[in-house]
Amino acid sequence: MIRLTPMMAQYKQIKEKYKDCILMYRLGDFYEMFFEDAIEASKILQITLTSRNKGTDNNAPMCGIPYHAVDNYLAKLTRAGKKIAICDQMTEPDGKGIVEREVMRVVTPGTTFDENILEQKANNYVSCVVKNGDSFGFAYSDVTTGEFKVTEINSYKNLESEMMRISPTECILDSGLLDDKVLNLIFAKVKYLHVFPYDYFKEPESDLKNYFQVKSLQGFGLDNKKLAISSSGMLFEYLRETQKTDLKHIQKISYYKISEFMPMDQALIKNLELFYAGKDGGRDGSLISVLDQTVSAMGGRLLKNWLIHPLLNKSVIEQRLNNVEIFVGNSSLLRDVRETLGKIFDIERLLSRLSLGTGNARDLIAMQESLKIIPALKNLIGNVFSDYDKQLDGLENLVALIERAIVEEPPLIVREGGMIKNGYNQELDELLSISTEGKTFITDLQKKEIARTGINSLKIRFNSVFGYYIEISKTNLGSVPEDYIRKQTLVNAERFITPELKEYEEKVLNAEAKIKELEYELFYGVRIEVVKEIIKIQTNARVIAELDVLAALAYTAMKNNYCKPKILDEGVLEIKNGRHPVIEQLTFSGDFVPNDCVFDNDKRFLLITGPNMGGKSTYLRQVALIVLMAQIGSYVPAGSCKLGLVDRIFTRVGANDNLTAGESTFMVEMNEAAFILNQATDKSLIIFDEVGRGTSTYDGVSIAWAIMEFVHDSVKAKTLFATHYHELIELAEKLPNAVNLSVAVKENESEGVVFLYKVVDGGVDKSYGIEVAKLAGLPVNVVSRARGVLKELENRHIKKDRVNPDQIDLFGNGGNREHGKIASRDGDMTPLQAIQKF
């Protein structure tokens, strides 16, 4: 039987409570990890794995890191999806028994405060999912800012949409849900998500009432919302367990309805490149890289929040647009406000750190410097943004307190002294005086002893083991006075003390210890005064963030020549001289060619044909981006824009497979198409880019044909449909609410094919694929051979196979569109059913 030392027994006892964490166990100047934790951590951190009591029955794998460098190692572990329990020493070693230890915090991917991990302009969310039948409670929080929101969701698909929108770093759920295959598929789609089981045994409603000290949760909008209450209570308890302190900076739970915002799915976020662009997934080339001209971290986070929550409320959108217009119409105000906001620190995260007890004196100084700017900001906006002006509070008394108490450049560590100004506290001033005088005394005593003994090399030194001592070399030992007391013998010298030196040593060291203790108490007192003003400071942060976003949108609008969209009640969309907000900024794009786009009651389906590289995809995406930008309250890249709000934007773009789920490119395409046809309404905007390309030509044409009919006849959404299937041109001519458009191309012998990037009326039945291949640098003989093959195929097939849509027999019924039915060997099916059958 293995016998454990008292220290290892203590470790085992603590580890038992944190089985799902890597336990960092403080031993002196190191955090040590043992057993399986050590093996796992050593691989992730790339540090040496050793062992304790090596070669004995008590052999234990171990590895360690310096306590002062713990943050760097925590960053690596949380990036790897690990939870870490930080166990600190609560008492000093006294030789009489084992040091008391306690876990002071648990660091997880979604609750970290590590600046090496956190993005300044992005939230770091931890979420919670609870399930009852096919309904869900979904709560999420950013512990670094105090944001806490919750909703109820009635389907897996809507849960997936919300997970993609929020993109949490961490999700907790009852361990019983870990086997839910659909949930796991959803989680797999969320980038960087780490899922942890968490068993919650409390009664959530009473727990939340007790914490917030309320008699009812109605004020939070949670009345009779059992799933929302369950997920909120579970997440709140998890945050308390990880932070090991009161969550005072979380002042409320905000309930929201997903119907308040336009749904966002993975395809939309990816295809429109809202946050990441290109194969490498970088920020450059994304929409946010153009729109994010914010000058504060708080503003950057809010802008991203607006972008993932397009509005469906006309009056709220118009209010945002009107506020942006104020800045657009006053460039000097815009410049001054942005300059002022740029001086303000991230008071949201400063406040959270101070509230949770992890903040330091530098955070207090940053808070003070930020609050000092509020009066100047109020003076700037008072006449034009009166509502914001009323909400801002400079908290002059708090600013004065910090200014009076904390030195201008305090140290990073709060328990080492050096934070408090002279004159703030009389007791501290007296202790500092004793310490200063004591050190002066040591200097004077050394001079006096040199004069008394005649030993010029005599030194009075200090170390943490022996305290102060007099060091004399061996050659001068004959001159040592009789009142010197020998303390230690070295090879070349001996160390002595005197009663006088010992007396002052005790006085100085006691004073320094008391100084550190008292300074921390004074710092704590100032910190508490800041925490008392949580509500006002959080209000300041919210107003500053909103002003920053509005000013950033105005700055972008003026810089890039955007227009203010007009929001209409009727379901029209009229864009004049629209541009792609990202591509027009690219240096290689030259002069961007603007294009119009018009939808109305008589024109709901736009079929777009033309060559590759001609600009079809850019045109489709720019229309969707303009609508999205308008519905977050932004100006848009166009000469003019009028639109009735769309309830959702759907995109079916590109060719991607999902091999891990056993899905081919074509299956992914059909899944996405089926989802759109099932979910879209007559108020939606649909983008179809090359549907049916993942299968044979005739199958592809058939499917594209059926989708086009179904969307036109049954869904009736505003639809942009780009295709290379020229057979569809003739179908569009027969559909009453469809219009043929194409991207213009100029051909001549000297220049060959020239892409004009202009969308014009009418369809084109030529793809210019060989010309594009030539431009790409295909060998001349390959291009020449391709032209020959094309000519032969055209002569052999095209003329005799060209058909009229009234005669086409794609599904065996001669193209009969009556009642939206298609005949087949399996009986009558709707076009949607036919697609799903593929």
Side-chain angles (χ1 to χ4, degrees):
M1 181 177 177
I2 297 176
R3 291 175 297 171
L4 297 175
T5 64
M7 188 275 291
M8 290 305 292
Q10 183 192 59
Y11 169 86
K12 284 279 192 179
Q13 186 179 17
I14 296 172
K15 175 63 181 176
E16 187 66 21
K17 298 178 182 178
Y18 296 91
K19 292 179 181 179
D20 60 339
C21 299
I22 290 176
L23 180 62
M24 286 190 172
Y25 184 82
R26 181 74 178 268
L27 280 175
D29 289 340
F30 283 81
Y31 282 110
E32 301 288 358
M33 289 154 279
F34 298 101
F35 303 107
E36 293 82 3
D37 287 354
I39 295 171
E40 188 172 28
S42 65
K43 292 177 182 177
I44 297 171
L45 301 176
Q46 294 294 295
I47 58 178
T48 302
L49 180 68
T50 181
S51 63
R52 189 177 184 88
N53 302 322
K54 189 174 183 180
T56 71
D57 290 340
N58 295 338
N59 181 41
M62 67 176 288
C63 64
I65 58 174
Y67 82 96
H68 56 79
V70 66
D71 286 343
N72 294 330
Y73 294 99
L74 287 176
K76 292 181 180 179
L77 290 170
T78 50
R79 282 196 192 100
K82 302 302 176 184
K83 298 166 71 174
I84 308 98
I86 308 296
C87 182
D88 282 319
Q89 296 178 176
M90 307 308 293
T91 59
E92 293 294 327
D94 58 7
K96 297 178 181 179
I98 190 168
V99 172
E100 292 182 15
R101 291 179 175 86
E102 184 179 333
V103 171
M104 298 304 294
R105 59 183 171 132
V106 177
V107 181
T108 73
T111 62
T112 181
F113 274 80
D114 193 331
E115 293 182 359
N116 295 315
I117 296 176
L118 295 175
E119 292 183 45
Q120 278 194 331
K121 291 189 172 184
N123 288 102
N124 189 47
Y125 290 123
V126 54
S127 61
C128 173
V129 172
V130 301
K131 182 176 183 287
N132 183 23
D134 288 332
S135 297
F136 301 89
F138 178 65
Y140 65 92
S141 177
D142 184 344
V143 74
T144 71
T145 66
E147 180 182 359
F148 196 112
K149 293 187 175 180
V150 66
T151 189
E152 291 188 342
I153 299 172
N154 60 5
S155 70
Y156 281 103
K157 219 41 175 167
N158 285 336
L159 176 65
E160 178 182 330
S161 175
E162 208 59 15
M163 289 288 288
M164 295 307 303
R165 183 204 304 276
I166 302 306
S167 190
T169 306
E170 181 178 347
C171 182
I172 61 168
L173 70 168
D174 186 275
S175 56
L177 292 178
L178 290 176
D179 295 328
D180 189 310
K181 293 181 180 179
V182 181
L183 275 180
N184 286 322
L185 287 173
I186 293 172
F187 295 150
K189 295 179 181 180
V190 184
K191 199 173 183 180
Y192 305 127
L193 177 66
H194 303 287
V195 179
F196 297 116
Y198 181 71
D199 294 318
Y200 176 61
F201 300 108
K202 292 189 176 182
E203 203 292 308
E205 185 167 357
S206 60
D207 195 31
L208 291 172
K209 286 178 183 178
N210 289 337
Y211 178 80
F212 289 105
Q213 297 182 340
V214 294
K215 292 183 179 180
S216 167
L217 298 178
Q218 187 174 359
F220 297 146
L222 297 179
D223 206 28
N224 297 321
K225 294 182 174 63
K226 292 184 178 180
L227 288 174
I229 292 171
S230 294
S231 57
S232 296
M234 185 170 170
L235 180 56
F236 208 87
E237 180 65 14
Y238 181 74
L239 294 179
R240 279 192 286 189
E241 285 189 8
T242 58
Q243 301 307 301
K244 301 292 180 182
T245 186
D246 287 337
L247 305 172
K248 293 180 180 178
H249 67 307
I250 299 179
Q251 288 287 300
K252 64 178 181 178
I253 296 172
S254 299
Y255 181 84
Y256 68 100
K257 297 178 181 178
I258 61 173
S259 60
E260 296 173 9
F261 308 105
M262 182 191 297
M264 305 282 280
D265 55 60
Q266 183 185 32
L268 177 67
I269 294 170
K270 180 181 178 181
N271 292 334
L272 295 187
E273 298 181 321
L274 300 185
F275 306 111
Y276 306 101
K279 292 182 179 179
D280 62 348
R283 192 173 188 267
D284 290 346
S286 66
L287 177 63
I288 201 165
S289 70
V290 173
L291 292 186
D292 187 5
Q293 302 297 323
T294 57
V295 294
S296 74
M298 295 174 289
R301 289 195 295 272
L302 182 63
L303 175 61
K304 185 174 183 181
N305 191 280
W306 282 14
L307 197 53
I308 60 175
H309 289 92
L311 298 169
L312 300 176
N313 186 306
K314 180 173 178 282
S315 63
V316 178
I317 295 171
E318 288 177 332
Q319 181 61 55
R320 286 185 184 176
L321 288 169
N322 291 339
N323 285 338
V324 173
E325 186 176 33
I326 291 173
F327 280 122
V328 170
N330 191 334
S331 59
S332 61
L333 174 67
L334 175 63
R335 181 190 63 247
D336 292 343
V337 167
R338 282 171 55 82
E339 183 179 339
T340 302
L341 293 175
K343 299 174 184 177
I344 297 176
F345 291 91
D346 191 348
I347 59 177
E348 227 173 13
R349 285 184 171 165
L350 289 175
L351 180 61
S352 296
R353 288 199 296 268
L354 291 167
S355 174
L356 292 171
T358 59
N360 57 33
R362 294 184 184 180
D363 292 331
L364 289 177
I365 292 297
M367 181 67 74
Q368 168 206 322
E369 292 301 317
S370 299
L371 293 176
K372 282 172 68 174
I373 296 169
I374 299 293
L377 181 60
K378 286 172 66 67
N379 287 337
L380 283 173
I381 67 169
N383 293 329
V384 287
F385 291 107
S386 58
D387 287 344
Y388 287 139
D389 176 46
K390 292 173 184 175
Q391 295 176 67
L392 288 171
D393 191 328
L395 295 166
E396 287 81 3
N397 291 337
L398 184 59
V399 170
L401 171 64
I402 299 172
E403 199 163 18
R404 195 168 67 250
I406 308 298
V407 297
E408 292 180 3
E409 296 182 4
L412 190 62
I413 300 173
V414 296
R415 293 189 178 273
E416 296 298 321
M419 299 179 291
I420 307 299
K421 278 184 178 179
N422 291 331
Y424 179 69
N425 180 273
Q426 184 177 351
E427 182 183 358
L428 177 63
D429 289 345
E430 291 173 357
L431 289 169
L432 287 169
S433 178
I434 291 172
S435 177
T436 303
E437 289 174 3
K439 291 176 181 178
T440 303
F441 167 80
I442 295 299
T443 304
D444 292 342
L445 179 62
Q446 179 174 297
K447 292 178 182 177
K448 187 178 77 172
E449 290 303 310
I450 289 173
R452 178 161 80 100
T453 62
I455 304 172
N456 290 327
S457 61
L458 179 149
K459 300 290 184 185
I460 298 181
R461 302 182 187 277
F462 174 85
N463 69 34
S464 57
V465 177
F466 294 105
Y468 285 102
Y469 55 84
I470 300 171
E471 186 170 289
I472 296 177
S473 62
K474 287 281 181 75
T475 57
N476 291 305
L477 290 179
S479 302
V480 172
E482 292 183 359
D483 60 341
Y484 276 30
I485 301 169
R486 182 176 280 103
K487 189 72 174 175
Q488 185 184 20
T489 299
L490 305 177
V491 176
N492 298 315
E494 292 201 16
R495 292 172 176 174
F496 301 86
I497 61 170
T498 66
E500 185 180 18
L501 180 60
K502 200 64 182 174
E503 179 183 347
Y504 272 91
E505 175 194 274
E506 291 177 2
K507 189 175 181 181
V508 169
L509 292 183
N510 285 340
E512 290 181 352
K514 289 180 180 178
I515 286 169
K516 292 177 182 178
E517 182 180 345
L518 181 56
E519 282 214 26
Y520 181 77
E521 290 178 5
L522 296 171
F523 159 78
Y524 179 84
V526 176
R527 181 177 74 82
I528 292 301
E529 292 302 312
V530 173
V531 173
K532 287 179 182 178
E533 302 292 355
I534 276 181
I535 294 177
K536 291 181 179 179
I537 295 173
Q538 286 182 335
T539 300
N540 283 340
R542 178 180 54 78
V543 171
I544 289 165
E546 288 187 20
L547 286 170
D548 192 11
V549 173
L550 295 170
L553 293 177
Y555 176 81
T556 304
M558 295 172 69
K559 176 185 174 186
N560 299 336
N561 192 29
Y562 291 177
C563 74
K564 181 182 179 182
K566 186 174 182 180
I567 311 300
L568 306 175
D569 291 319
E570 58 269 24
V572 303
L573 174 60
E574 182 181 301
I575 299 170
K576 297 293 185 183
N577 292 321
R579 311 180 313 271
H580 193 293
V582 180
I583 294 179
E584 73 166 344
Q585 300 299 317
L586 300 179
T587 55
F588 63 80
S589 66
D591 295 327
F592 189 92
V593 178
N595 278 295
D596 299 345
C597 180
V598 178
F599 287 100
D600 55 35
N601 293 331
D602 297 323
K603 185 163 59 174
R604 299 191 309 266
F605 196 106
L606 307 183
L607 183 72
I608 306 160
T609 49
N612 287 318
M613 291 182 62
K616 298 192 303 295
S617 295
T618 296
Y619 179 70
L620 266 61
R621 286 170 173 83
Q622 80 184 36
V623 173
L625 287 170
I626 286 171
V627 171
L628 183 70
M629 289 170 62
Q631 291 194 209
I632 71 168
S634 170
Y635 277 38
V636 299
S640 66
C641 176
K642 300 176 183 178
L643 79 153
L645 299 182
V646 305
D647 60 5
R648 187 163 186 173
I649 300 173
F650 293 93
T651 60
R652 161 82 281 282
V653 173
N656 296 293
D657 55 26
N658 187 2
L659 298 179
T660 57
E663 296 177 346
S664 66
T665 298
F666 181 63
M667 177 58 77
V668 171
E669 184 179 356
M670 290 301 97
N671 283 338
E672 291 180 0
F675 172 69
I676 293 172
L677 300 190
N678 278 311
Q679 300 294 321
T681 74
D682 61 351
K683 292 182 174 61
S684 302
L685 173 65
I686 301 176
I687 303 296
F688 278 120
D689 195 357
E690 304 294 351
V691 173
R693 297 301 300 276
T695 186
S696 68
T697 301
Y698 288 116
D699 277 353
V701 172
S702 303
I703 291 167
W705 186 291
I707 288 175
M708 186 170 167
E709 283 187 342
F710 185 79
V711 170
H712 178 277
D713 295 349
S714 301
V715 180
K716 300 180 180 179
K718 300 178 186 68
T719 304
L720 290 156
F721 198 110
T723 186
H724 275 85
Y725 294 135
H726 303 128
E727 294 85 350
L728 300 182
I729 295 173
E730 295 171 82
L731 174 60
E733 292 172 352
K734 298 294 184 180
L735 297 177
N737 300 118
V739 173
N740 274 309
L741 300 175
S742 60
V743 287
V745 173
K746 182 173 70 174
E747 290 184 88
N748 57 55
E749 291 185 4
S750 60
E751 297 181 76
V753 173
V754 178
F755 300 112
L756 302 179
Y757 305 110
K758 195 70 179 174
V759 176
V760 296
D761 291 334
V764 294
D765 58 1
K766 189 172 181 181
S767 294
Y768 299 96
I770 294 175
E771 298 302 323
V772 173
K774 179 182 176 183
L775 292 173
L778 232 60
V780 174
N781 57 338
V782 174
V783 173
S784 178
R785 173 61 178 153
R787 285 199 177 106
V789 172
L790 176 63
K791 188 173 182 180
E792 182 180 343
L793 290 173
E794 286 175 339
N795 291 335
R796 186 187 307 170
H797 298 293
I798 300 303
K799 290 184 180 179
K800 73 174 182 178
D801 285 353
R802 188 156 186 153
V803 294
N804 186 289
D806 289 335
Q807 299 170 327
I808 199 161
D809 193 17
L810 295 179
F811 292 96
N813 74 335
N816 179 12
R817 299 177 53 250
E818 184 178 357
H819 305 303
K821 295 287 186 180
I822 306 172
S824 77
R825 285 189 294 270
D826 297 317
D828 285 349
M829 295 186 294
T830 65
L832 175 57
Q833 290 169 332
I835 294 163
Q836 291 171 325
K837 190 168 181 62
F838 276 90

